[in-house]
Amino acid sequence: MTIEQAKAMAKSTLSAKRYQHTVNVKKMAVKLAKQYDADPEKAALAAYLHDLAKEKPKEELLQIMRDNAIMANNAEQRPAPVWHGVCAAILAKTRWGVDDPEILDAVACHTTGRPHMTKLDKILFLADMTSAERDWPGVDALRRLEMESLDAAMREGLRQTIDFVNASGKKADPMSAAAYQDLIETV
Ligand SMILES: [Fe+2]
Ligand SMILES: [Fe+2]
């Protein structure tokens, strides 16, 4: 799948609001890729793919994970907000002809991070948190930090993600805590 094809699929699949978010994530991901000497084309493709399963019903996401148990890696046991990234990666590989594991992994972990994150994982995670339309308290500080240090921004972004989920009274995915711990240990 080319970048243009992924963009067209995002446009035809997603609501106007989520498509605009996706376009903004793509712009931020390309900016970060250039800043950190990563591949801007991989960043763009990962960004267009990342939320393609977000508007699917939960039952459909569960079915996709059941049908692709190896790639799903028990994600159905994890909190439901995690499923759409895992399912987008599964669909990208099984239906849309995306074979690059770097892109598939970044899409799969874009909501929570994971231990031993690659540069592309970090770029997509942060681009999703800091895309132009985001206005949560602290987003401007994270936008400055991510241009200075990818790892410092990842620690801050993960901390914010974990705090946000805890504050909402939901159960945070242990994968976020594991990703955070891994980043602390690699300082
Ligand atoms: Fe997402
Ligand atoms: Fe997103």
Side-chain angles (χ1 to χ4, degrees), residues 73 75 78-79 81-82 84-86 104-126 128-129 153-155 157-159 161-162 165 172-183:
N73 196 21
R78 294 168 61 196
V82 173
H84 75 277
V86 173
L104 298 171
D105 286 343
V107 168
C109 79
H110 82 261
T111 314
T112 62
R114 59 173 178 155
H116 312 301
M117 289 177 83
T118 66
K119 204 190 280 183
L120 192 65
D121 291 351
K122 294 171 186 173
I123 285 170
L124 184 60
F125 180 94
L126 286 168
D128 190 30
M129 277 193 88
M154 267 311 303
R155 283 192 292 277
L158 278 168
R159 197 183 61 74
T161 300
I162 294 166
V165 177
D173 184 21
M175 192 74 85
S176 292
Y180 184 72
Q181 195 59 36
D182 179 57
L183 280 159

Side-chain angles (χ1 to χ4, degrees), residues 26-182:
K26 181 257 177 186
K27 283 182 191 155
M28 187 60 91
V30 168
K31 183 177 168 185
L32 289 169
K34 287 178 177 164
Q35 179 77 357
Y36 293 106
D37 212 16
D39 184 335
E41 298 201 342
K42 288 191 186 196
L45 185 50
Y48 281 129
L49 295 170
H50 88 286
D51 272 347
L52 273 179
K54 189 144 178 170
E55 292 173 355
K56 291 187 184 298
K58 280 188 179 178
E59 258 318 307
E60 190 177 338
L61 297 180
L62 283 167
Q63 193 61 50
I64 291 166
M65 291 187 285
R66 280 196 289 266
D67 290 346
N68 298 274
I70 292 172
M71 274 192 85
N73 196 21
N74 292 321
E76 62 273 23
Q77 313 287 342
R78 294 168 61 196
V82 173
W83 298 348
H84 75 277
V86 173
C87 287
I90 290 171
L91 294 173
K93 182 164 174 70
T94 60
R95 294 194 202 163
W96 306 332
V98 179
D99 280 321
D100 187 333
E102 242 190 298
I103 291 172
L104 298 171
D105 286 343
V107 168
C109 79
H110 82 261
T111 314
T112 62
R114 59 173 178 155
H116 312 301
M117 289 177 83
T118 66
K119 204 190 280 183
L120 192 65
D121 291 351
K122 294 171 186 173
I123 285 170
L124 184 60
F125 180 94
L126 286 168
D128 190 30
M129 277 193 88
T130 60
S131 53
E133 86 291 351
R134 298 283 198 199
D135 59 359
W136 51 275
V139 70
D140 284 330
L142 188 58
R143 285 189 187 116
R144 285 192 293 276
L145 187 58
E146 71 188 350
M147 295 309 286
E148 290 165 15
S149 164
L150 203 55
D151 282 341
M154 267 311 303
R155 283 192 292 277
E156 182 58 21
L158 278 168
R159 197 183 61 74
Q160 297 265 4
T161 300
I162 294 166
D163 287 353
F164 177 79
V165 177
N166 286 338
S168 70
K170 292 181 186 136
K171 202 168 157 288
D173 184 21
M175 192 74 85
S176 292
Y180 184 72
Q181 195 59 36
D182 179 57

Side-chain angles (χ1 to χ4, degrees), residues 14-28:
L14 299 173
S15 65
K17 194 173 171 201
R18 183 153 285 114
Y19 175 67
Q20 188 57 53
H21 160 69
T22 295
V23 169
N24 292 344
V25 172
K26 181 257 177 186
K27 283 182 191 155
M28 187 60 91

